[in-house]
Amino acid sequence: MSMKILVTGGAGYIGSHTCLQLLRAGHDVVVVDNLVNAQEEAMRRVQTLAGREFAFYPFDVCDDNMLDKVFSEHSFDGVIHFAGLKAVGESVSIPLRYYSNNLVSTMTLCRVMDRHNVKRLIFSSSATVYQPGSPMPVNEEAALGCTNPYGWTKFMGEQILRDIAAADPEWSIVLLRYFNPIGADASGMIGEDPSGIPNNLMPYITQTALGRLAQLSVFGDDYDTPDGTGVRDYIHVVDLAQGHMDALNYAARNTGSVAINLGTGVGYSVLDIVHAFEKVNGVKVPYQIAPRRPGDVAAVYADPRRAKELLGWQAEKGLEDMCRDSWRWQSMNPKGYAAE
Ligand code: NAD
Ligand code: WQD
C-alpha cells in the first residue's frame, strides 16, 4: 500500500537515499530540511533519479508554525526524523547548539504530530548510545551511556520518545540505532558530501584517493583488534534506507516503542577498509599511522538479530559494494554537490 511520508532532514546523506528508495517503491515523500548541512541540489537529483517530483520545504523543524502548516497541507501516514546535527567533535565545543537543535526539533515534531493525530515515527538514533566498553556484538538490551553531547542528544531523544509512546498507546515509534553508514546510490548521483575536512573515515578516504587530501591518518594501530586498528560495523546506506521502509511497515502493524540496531554484524578494521577500497577501485590511498583519536574505542559492531526478527531486514551489501559505490559518487562528483 502506498504511503505518504514526511522526511525531516531528507536532503542529508541518509535522508536523500531514503527518499529515493521510498519514491522508487511508489510512496510519496515530503521533505523538511533547513539545509544547515545539505544542498538543495541533492533534492533535485533525487527527483531526477526517481522521475517524480515532491514537495520540499526549506525550514527548521524547531519552527512549530511552519511545521503545523505542512501537516495541514498534507495527510501523512508516518514520519521519518533524520533532522539533526551529527558532528561529535563540534558537539563538544558547542553543546548548547546540539542540545537545542536535536532535542527541540524532536519535541516540536512530536507536538505537531500529536496535534494532527499522526503517531507513527521512525527516529535516527545511533550506536553511539551504547556505553563504551559494552561487550561486542552489542544488542539492544545493553546498557546505555555516552561520552559526548551529540551522543547524549540521541540518548535523551530516545528517552523522550519512549515516554511519549508509554503515555499514549496510539503511538508507534521505532528507534533505529545505525552503526557506520557508508556507500552511495549505484547511480553515483547522490552521496555523502561533508563540508570542510571530513571527520568520518570513508569520506576522508575518498577525498584522499582524489588527491584533495594528502594522506589518511589511521588513528591508532595498538588496539586489541586483529591488526591493531579500530574495528567498526560499516553498513551500506542503501541497506540502511531499506531498513527505514521496513520500519515504517512494522510501525503500521505495531504500537509502542522499540529500539533496533541497523548494522551488518560484521566488523572491519580501518586497514581492512583502506585495502578493500584500493583493491576494488584500483586507486591508492596513502596513509600514515597516527595517535589514537580521543574518545575512540577498539571495536563496535552490532548484534543485528532483532532487525531480522521484527523487521525481516538484514544487510545485503558487502564491503566491496560499499567501497565501489562510495568511490563512484566521489569520483563523479569531486566537489560534492557544489558546481564545478
Ligand atoms: P546529514 O547531516 O547529512 O543529514 C541531516 C539533515 O538534517 C541535514 O540535511 C541537515 O541540513 C538537516 N537538519 C539538521 N537540523 C535541522 C533542523 N533543525 N531542521 C531542519 N533540518 C535540519 O546527516 P546523516 O548522516 O544523513 O544523518 C541523518 C541522521 O542520522 C542524523 O540525525 C544523525 O545524527 C543520524 N545518524 C547518522 C550517522 C552517520 O554516521 N551518518 C550514524 C548514526 C546516526
Ligand atoms: C571509524 C574508524 C576511527 C577517520 C562516528 C560517530 C558515531 C556515528 C558514526 C553518528 C575509527 C578511524 C577515522 C580518520 C581513522 N555517527 N578513523 N582516520 O567514530 O566509529 O563513529 O560516526 O551517530 O556516533 O562517533 O566513525 O568514521 O569517524 O571512524 O583512522 O581520518 O576510522 O578511529 O576507528 P566512528 P568514523
Side-chain angles (χ1 to χ4, degrees), residues 8-16 32-39 57-63 81-87 100-102 105 123-128 150 153-154 176-182 192-193 200 237 240 244:
T8 76
Y13 171 46
I14 306 170
S16 56
V32 174
D33 193 308
N34 65 358
L35 302 175
V36 68
N37 193 38
Q39 307 289 328
Y57 298 91
F59 68 79
D60 193 317
V61 180
C62 300
D63 188 330
H81 180 38
F82 290 109
L85 298 172
K86 64 161 182 179
S100 317
N101 188 73
N102 292 2
S105 61
F123 177 67
S124 294
S125 187
S126 169
T128 199
Y150 166 72
T153 68
K154 293 299 177 187
L176 294 178
R177 295 178 181 158
Y178 317 149
F179 283 68
N180 291 56
I182 59 173
E192 186 171 13
D193 183 19
N200 295 115
V237 67
L240 206 59
H244 289 76

Side-chain angles (χ1 to χ4, degrees), residues 17-92:
H17 285 84
T18 304
C19 286
L20 179 56
Q21 204 123 326
L22 284 163
L23 292 163
R24 281 177 172 157
H27 302 298
D28 288 318
V29 305
V30 169
V31 172
V32 174
D33 193 308
N34 65 358
L35 302 175
V36 68
N37 193 38
Q39 307 289 328
E40 199 168 351
E41 175 63 11
M43 297 285 79
R44 285 191 281 274
R45 293 196 187 180
V46 168
Q47 308 204 22
T48 305
L49 287 168
R52 215 136 56 83
E53 301 205 330
F54 54 84
F56 170 63
Y57 298 91
F59 68 79
D60 193 317
V61 180
C62 300
D63 188 330
D64 186 309
N65 285 333
M66 297 286 279
L67 206 52
D68 197 86
K69 277 195 197 118
V70 172
F71 275 79
S72 301
E73 284 167 24
H74 303 272
S75 167
F76 295 119
D77 297 296
V79 177
I80 308 180
H81 180 38
F82 290 109
L85 298 172
K86 64 161 182 179
V88 171
E90 188 182 63
S91 79
V92 176

Side-chain angles (χ1 to χ4, degrees), residues 246-266:
D246 296 333
L248 279 169
N249 288 327
Y250 175 86
R253 299 188 310 267
N254 298 275
T255 55
S257 68
V258 63
I260 303 180
N261 285 342
L262 290 185
T264 64
V266 179

Side-chain angles (χ1 to χ4, degrees), residues 125-142:
S125 187
S126 169
T128 199
V129 299
Y130 292 118
Q131 216 165 69
S134 302
M136 294 295 145
V138 65
N139 71 37
E140 293 84 351
E141 301 305 320

Side-chain angles (χ1 to χ4, degrees), residues 88 126 128 150 180 200-201 217-219 232 234 293 296:
V88 171
S126 169
T128 199
Y150 166 72
N180 291 56
N200 295 115
L201 180 63
S217 291
V218 174
F219 297 141
R232 298 290 183 273
Y234 297 92
R293 182 172 64 179
D296 276 357

